[in-house]
Amino acid sequence: MQIPQTNKVFNFDKYPTLEKDIDPKQRAWIEVRGKELETNVRHLKSKLSKNCQFMAVVKADGYGHDAKVVSEYAIKGGASQLGVATLKEGIKLRSSGVKKPILILGNLYTRRDLIISFKNDLMPTISSIRECLICNNIGKHFGLKFSLHLKVDTGMSRLGFECNKFLHQFEKIKSFENISIEGIYSHLASADEFNSLDPKSTTQLQRQKFQELLEQIKVNRNQNIKIHLANSAGMLLNQNFHFHMVRVGLSMYGYSPLAKIDKNLSLKPALFLKAKVAFIRIIDQGVSVSYGGKFLSSRKTKLAVLSIGYADGVPRNLSGKINVIHNNKFYPQVGSITMDQMMVDITDSNEIQIGSTMILLGSDGDKTISPLDWARESNTIPWEILCSFKNRLPRVQVD
Ligand SMILES: *Cc1c(COP(=O)(O)O)cnc(C)c1O
């Protein structure tokens, strides 16, 4: 760091005052790697049969990556549909210029929301006759067909028609003239469990239940209805789960949801989390660090203060359990993670300075830290880690 010379002439006017003009890498940020997303989609698609479609699931702002960027690169990689959770997410994607079909995976239950969904060319997920009727009315009003997907519950007990009653209800739904059934789907509850290939596993039983239902309603007679069941884990199990489309989130972002990692699965993380060193201090042996004094230095210690904390989405319960990477070396995080900052022991480094960039998630050289590591340490799942990142972290797109 250069100390400014007093005799240097500054042009004070050129410095920005607006929030939007602040360097996104001034403090801490998420780097989103579009090319990796595209490659992951292409790679995953190569495991599908030729006619099977790939729905890129971009809910929760693209698992924290930025839904717009993810959609753009997923489409480049071959995704032909997009999945979001909410009406707002769908509208945002449409207004960013995405033209592909968008399915809302959550439940819209008011006429108002369904009308807005229709007007934005978003397909709702329908789980009851009541909502089918509303959609049919909306379609009738506009003199058009309302495109939607029907969902059946095969074991989640979340959304979806009750499986036993669906046969009867489907006959009725087919008679509605102003809706267009674009898809019928269900959702797997435990596909990421180690026993999912065991014929008696809940995953296989769910598949069987779904398959039987499809045969009962003779869905084959209607070639235009897309059948889909698999999330990332289901997709990676085998082609029996693929049907006409797969709905892929986690693995598209570069992580395998399966405990047994397929050797041929070459997925690349699309997210790097980085933060700058904002301050450096040296403390003596036996000095406590951060709230609660949970860490006591065992030697004279050089500390880097990173400008990132739990208000950015780094789980506080990872305090003292993670490393950060700089120049192909790990450095341990020490003391409690605070709202906006955390300390790292950099005693062994001569090169880290104020302003140096540290990698919290991602890789450098042969060192890697993955959301899977964080999830294990904080007793959660990688999905939760990814969608915990707050808007305070700028998303910076790199190719
Ligand atoms: C989130 C979601 C997916 C994607 O799940 P991943 O495990 O991240 O691949 C698929 N289908 C539905 C209904 C979802 O809600």
Side-chain angles (χ1 to χ4, degrees), residues 107-121:
N107 199 43
L108 304 183
Y109 55 90
T110 65
R111 181 181 303 273
R112 181 188 160 84
D113 284 356
L114 287 163
I115 293 172
I116 297 171
S117 156
F118 179 78
K119 285 187 161 182
N120 282 281
D121 190 19

Side-chain angles (χ1 to χ4, degrees), residues 127-177:
S127 299
S128 79
I129 291 282
R130 176 189 163 268
E131 285 132 28
C132 263
L133 265 165
I134 300 177
C135 291
N136 193 51
N137 272 329
I138 296 169
K140 197 172 281 170
H141 174 84
F142 288 98
L144 295 165
K145 286 189 177 220
F146 195 153
S147 296
L148 48 81
H149 286 233
L150 302 175
K151 188 169 192 183
V152 288
D153 177 34
T154 54
M156 267 295 278
S157 304
R158 194 172 62 175
L159 298 179
F161 287 88
E162 226 175 282
C163 225
N164 313 336
K165 298 188 182 148
F166 188 67
L167 179 57
H168 176 68
Q169 289 168 318
F170 187 60
E171 286 308 310
K172 182 157 184 198
I173 297 168
K174 277 196 299 189
S175 73
F176 292 156
E177 287 179 351

Side-chain angles (χ1 to χ4, degrees), residues 273-287:
L273 175 62
K274 297 184 172 179
K276 289 220 167 129
V277 174
F279 197 67
I280 291 178
R281 74 178 326 120
I282 291 172
I283 56 171
D284 285 333
Q285 185 189 340
V287 174

Side-chain angles (χ1 to χ4, degrees), residues 57 59 63 105 151 158 185-187 230-233 247-251 257 383:
V57 178
K59 60 194 182 190
Y63 289 41
L105 301 165
K151 188 169 192 183
R158 194 172 62 175
Y185 78 104
S186 191
H187 189 49
N231 50 6
S232 293
R247 306 184 305 269
V248 177
L250 193 74
S251 59
W383 292 264

Side-chain angles (χ1 to χ4, degrees), residues 206-266:
Q206 266 195 279
R207 199 201 84 86
Q208 210 176 316
K209 203 168 171 182
F210 189 52
Q211 178 85 55
E212 280 165 16
L213 182 74
L214 297 171
E215 282 160 19
Q216 280 170 10
I217 63 171
K218 302 193 175 62
V219 80
N220 287 342
R221 291 193 191 158
N222 193 330
Q223 297 298 324
N224 296 326
I225 299 183
K226 274 192 189 54
I227 304 303
H228 48 114
L229 174 66
N231 50 6
S232 293
M235 188 221 127
L236 294 168
L237 287 176
N238 64 43
Q239 286 209 346
N240 287 337
F241 287 88
H242 293 181
F243 297 94
H244 302 141
M245 182 161 76
V246 293
R247 306 184 305 269
V248 177
L250 193 74
S251 59
M252 165 176 78
Y253 298 99
Y255 316 100
S256 171
L258 300 178
K260 258 194 282 172
I261 293 172
D262 178 353
K263 293 276 186 303
N264 295 322
L265 199 61
S266 51

